Amino acid sequence: MPIVFSLFQRIGIKSYPVYHTVYETFQLVKKYVDPNFTYHLAMAQTVGEIGRKLADSQILPFDFRQYAKDLSRKKEDLVNDFGESMTSHGIKLGKQILK
């Protein structure tokens, strides 16, 4: 499934300690992260434009062959990194047949 990953670095770090916690309040964002919400507006406009272009496309610009290769590589990584642990817990990754 194609995704869009977007972020902005307003305070000089990729994330900040309160991101997606109960402490990330409107007041905190307004005071420290994006006082005029200019970054939030730019991000919303960018993602909105991407969505509009995709919605208007007659042919979606995705390379699903590359996506399949990436998924296969990620499965190999998963098995290489956690295969023994998965097997010991009864988790098997076989070929899936879709009907």
Side-chain angles (χ1 to χ4, degrees):
M1 174 167 68
I3 64 165
V4 173
F5 176 76
S6 54
L7 79 115
F8 57 87
Q9 293 178 286
R10 170 69 175 98
I11 58 175
I13 55 178
K14 287 187 178 181
S15 185
Y16 55 104
V18 296
Y19 182 66
H20 276 73
T21 68
V22 68
Y23 304 107
E24 184 182 36
T25 63
F26 178 83
Q27 291 79 13
L28 180 129
V29 172
K30 186 173 182 176
K31 185 171 183 178
Y32 298 106
V33 180
D34 191 6
N36 296 315
F37 292 90
T38 53
Y39 291 90
H40 283 79
L41 176 62
M43 191 68 67
Q45 289 172 331
T46 301
V47 172
E49 182 63 16
I50 291 169
R52 187 194 63 75
K53 285 189 175 202
L54 288 174
D56 289 345
S57 294
Q58 291 184 6
I59 298 174
L60 295 177
F62 301 126
D63 184 352
F64 290 104
R65 293 169 298 189
Q66 184 61 46
Y67 179 61
K69 289 177 188 175
D70 291 344
L71 282 179
S72 181
R73 195 173 313 115
K74 293 296 182 188
K75 179 185 173 188
E76 290 173 14
D77 291 346
L78 181 67
V79 171
N80 290 337
D81 294 343
F82 302 103
E84 286 184 30
S85 178
M86 292 167 58
T87 301
S88 70
H89 287 88
I91 300 170
K92 298 177 184 175
L93 295 178
K95 291 193 177 217
Q96 301 296 318
I97 299 173
L98 301 176
K99 295 182 180 181

